Amino acid sequence: MTIELRAADGGVVQVAPEIVQAFKAGFRGPVLTPDAPEYEETRKIWNAMIDRRPGLIVRCTGTQDVVNALRFARQHRFLVSVRGGGHNISGLAVCDGGVMIDLSPMKGVWVDPKARTARAQAGCTLGDVDRETQLHGMAAVLGFVSATGIAGLTTGGGFGYLTRQYGWTCDNLVSMEVVTAEGKVLRAATDEHPDLFWALRGGSGNFGIVTSFEYKLYDVGPEILGGAVAWRAEDAKEVLEFYREFSAQAPRETTSVAVLRKAPPAPWLPKEMHGQPIVAIFVCHTGRIEEGEKIVAPLRAFGRPVADIITRRPYTQMQTLLDVANPKGRRYYWKAHYLARIDPKVIDVAIERASHLPSPHSVLVFFQLQGALGELPTDHSPMGNRDAAYVLNAASSWESAMDDAENVHWARETFEATRPFSTGGTYVNFLTEEEGGERIEAAYGKKTLGTLAALKMKYDPENMFRHTKNVLAGAGKTLQREVVNT
Ligand SMILES: Cc1cc2nc3c(=O)[nH]c(=O)nc-3n(C[C@H](O)[C@H](O)[C@H](O)COP(=O)(O)OP(=O)(O)OC[C@H]3O[C@@H](n4cnc5c(N)ncnc54)[C@H](O)[C@@H]3O)c2cc1C
């Protein structure tokens, strides 16, 4: 029977079954059509708001599979999406009707303790990499939730507990292996295809499919000092004012995250607090534990905490503390911007907005940045935004589709209410499904976006990688024309 697949230009391509058979014969991993038993589970990603049905899912086992998949898609002009960890809020990993190139089976990690580097395949989660690097008492600069994919996180920037010491995740890459839109395998590094290397460090999935990342490693753990302290929401103003000072003065080894939410039924929170509004500060100190104890002492002594789980613990455990709050399969919608500081007025707005949280799972979060981030030149990578001191994320999370409107509305309203305090910049990896054009420009800035658009014309002139936060859409038609004509 003929198979219908979505074309990149929006049309439909009829494919004879023998063409799919021939492709399958040269492909090592599973190739799933919608009637395959594993299809339903494989098409699902972290955010249940995304319900797309690819025409074909090709599950790559190595670089050769990625090359074959891209050449096949290019030859027949199929729409393509690329899945790493499947954690992107806007669900870019899954396309409707086209070919989903799924890298999640590619999970190799090789640590070179002497060179202090690790090479990780693009299907790894953060947890996969931390597990292997911690064996050597080292870590790469990754994010806060262990199930997140390294591929989307790194190509879109990346920040976590080590960012204040070492910069964005993408600032800490040594090299990448990339399959280009033409199906060529390249090594991108400062001495090989440096322009591609630059573009891939923040330019998101626009420039090729990265099959492996080579990260710099740093001495971390295996034990660190970390955990969280929680207070009742009635103390939120004083706690957030304390947080502003504490976070601004803390050394780079100490990173903290402030969260406003209703208390989940977690064992670390007293039963009588479950469902009650709270403010919590998560903290991780990766320097000497004794020093960390002195640094976090004022935090632990502040006000009347209802819970305190700061302790000496494995770094890998710290990296999973926020996992339980972000399970796969719930509905999610985020709106975020960068802040240069925590203005006293933004504290009032945040508390007011948190008092209207429509769901017990939703959170308003301040992630701390700054430190080493601001020391590199603005154009070191497309990530820019080196003046960002915090990311403020209004993160809605709920169970039922019937509650979509209310929860999306809360995040949007919170975003608008906090907009006056934003640097104007935003994080490409936190952009929601409908955020294109000007929000992509906000993520990169006009100048960087122009450079990215020019490189897009060099490395992907047919826009194979359009199922992304597309830099051509962000650059706008005028800029696209300028770029094409130069
Ligand atoms: C629960 C949760 C926690 C998070 N925490 C953090 C955090 O602490 N720090 C942080 O910086 N971000 C964080 N993020 C955001 C995260 O960085 C992005 O969602 C990122 O896109 C996830 O990567 P992925 O591989 O899982 O995504 P996917 O959904 O698989 O892919 C996302 C995008 O990346 C592109 N892509 C995927 N694989 C490749 C590849 N191999 N080569 C080129 N492009 C590719 C895709 O085309 C797509 O556009 C978090 C997200 C979630 C859901």
Side-chain angles (χ1 to χ4, degrees), residues 87 124-131 133-134 139-164 166-172 215-218 220 224 255-257 282-284 286 314-323 326 334 365 367-369 383 391 427 429-430:
H87 261 55
C124 289
T125 62
L126 312 191
D128 295 329
V129 177
D130 282 337
R131 180 178 162 82
T133 56
Q134 277 292 279
V141 179
L142 299 171
F144 297 100
V145 174
S146 78
T148 314
I150 61 165
L153 180 129
T154 309
T155 53
F159 66 93
Y161 287 119
L162 303 178
T163 297
R164 282 161 46 69
Y166 307 114
W168 301 116
T169 302
C170 65
D171 292 336
N172 289 283
Y215 296 104
K216 289 181 194 163
L217 299 182
Y218 301 96
V220 176
I224 52 83
T255 296
S256 51
V257 176
F282 286 78
V283 64
C284 175
T286 55
Y315 178 68
T316 46
Q317 193 187 80
M318 185 74 215
Q319 286 287 83
T320 60
L321 278 194
L322 295 172
D323 286 13
N326 296 282
W334 294 352
V365 195
F367 293 102
Q368 188 189 5
L369 298 171
M383 270 306 281
V391 183
Y427 180 32
N429 270 342
F430 281 7

Side-chain angles (χ1 to χ4, degrees), residues 148-230:
T148 314
I150 61 165
L153 180 129
T154 309
T155 53
F159 66 93
Y161 287 119
L162 303 178
T163 297
R164 282 161 46 69
Q165 276 172 286
Y166 307 114
W168 301 116
T169 302
C170 65
D171 292 336
N172 289 283
L173 282 168
V174 180
S175 71
M176 287 171 259
E177 183 186 77
V178 194
V179 182
T180 65
E182 284 179 305
K184 281 191 191 151
V185 182
L186 301 181
R187 177 178 177 273
T190 48
D191 57 349
E192 272 181 80
H193 309 288
D195 55 355
L196 180 60
F197 186 56
W198 181 86
L200 284 165
R201 286 180 295 145
S204 196
N206 280 283
F207 298 94
I209 302 183
V210 179
T211 46
S212 66
F213 298 85
E214 187 186 0
Y215 296 104
K216 289 181 194 163
L217 299 182
Y218 301 96
D219 291 329
V220 176
E223 281 194 325
I224 52 83
L225 184 75
V229 182

Side-chain angles (χ1 to χ4, degrees), residues 473-485:
K477 289 208 164 36
T478 322
L479 186 50
Q480 277 180 50
R481 267 200 303 277
E482 280 168 19
V483 170
V484 175
N485 292 335

Side-chain angles (χ1 to χ4, degrees), residues 26 37 78 92 102 107 129 131 136 156-157 161 192 199 204 209 221-222 225 267 291 302-303 340 354 359 379 391 419:
F78 299 141
L92 296 169
D102 179 9
K107 283 190 172 291
V129 177
R131 180 178 162 82
H136 303 276
Y161 287 119
E192 272 181 80
S204 196
I209 302 183
L225 184 75
E291 266 170 34
F302 186 79
S359 160
D379 61 356
V391 183
R419 195 199 276 269

Side-chain angles (χ1 to χ4, degrees), residues 208-438:
I209 302 183
V210 179
T211 46
S212 66
F213 298 85
E214 187 186 0
Y215 296 104
K216 289 181 194 163
L217 299 182
Y218 301 96
D219 291 329
V220 176
E223 281 194 325
I224 52 83
L225 184 75
V229 182
W231 299 260
R232 288 187 167 80
E234 64 206 46
D235 298 333
K237 190 167 167 65
E238 294 74 25
V239 170
L240 288 180
E241 274 165 1
F242 170 83
Y243 175 66
R244 182 183 55 220
E245 297 300 318
F246 174 80
S247 56
Q249 285 166 18
R252 291 174 182 192
E253 293 83 4
T254 312
T255 296
S256 51
V257 176
V259 181
L260 290 159
R261 62 165 301 158
K262 287 183 184 148
W268 69 281
L269 290 161
K271 264 213 169 90
E272 66 275 14
M273 287 306 298
H274 294 179
Q276 299 301 311
I278 55 164
V279 54
I281 297 178
F282 286 78
V283 64
C284 175
H285 175 83
T286 55
R288 283 188 48 238
I289 297 219
E290 298 69 27
E291 266 170 34
E293 274 162 354
K294 284 187 208 141
I295 292 161
V296 302
L299 172 72
R300 308 181 77 176
F302 186 79
R304 299 165 296 154
V306 293
D308 177 350
I309 51 160
I310 295 181
T311 185
R312 178 191 276 261
R313 62 174 83 235
Y315 178 68
T316 46
Q317 193 187 80
M318 185 74 215
Q319 286 287 83
T320 60
L321 278 194
L322 295 172
D323 286 13
V324 68
N326 296 282
K328 181 179 173 187
R330 261 199 216 139
R331 305 177 81 77
Y332 294 95
Y333 185 87
W334 294 352
K335 290 288 278 187
H337 27 221
Y338 292 125
L339 310 178
R341 70 194 67 80
I342 299 182
D343 187 286
K345 288 190 201 127
V346 84
I347 292 180
D348 294 335
V349 176
I351 292 169
E352 198 278 324
R353 293 303 306 158
S355 69
H356 303 301
L357 279 168
S359 160
H361 306 308
S362 298
V363 292
L364 188 54
V365 195
F366 294 84
F367 293 102
Q368 188 189 5
L369 298 171
Q370 230 175 16
L373 206 76
E375 282 168 2
L376 288 164
T378 315
D379 61 356
H380 175 75
S381 76
M383 270 306 281
N385 289 291
R386 295 186 183 276
D387 56 345
Y390 298 87
V391 183
L392 179 63
N393 193 16
S396 277
S397 163
W398 66 104
E399 309 273 355
S400 162
M402 277 163 48
D403 302 326
D404 283 2
E406 190 186 10
N407 285 282
V408 168
H409 183 71
W410 177 81
R412 286 185 180 157
E413 291 276 290
T414 304
F415 173 80
E416 287 307 329
T418 51
R419 195 199 276 269
F421 310 100
S422 163
T423 61
T426 192
Y427 180 32
V428 72
N429 270 342
F430 281 7
L431 293 181
T432 55
E433 203 177 351
E434 82 282 3
E435 289 185 307
E438 63 184 39

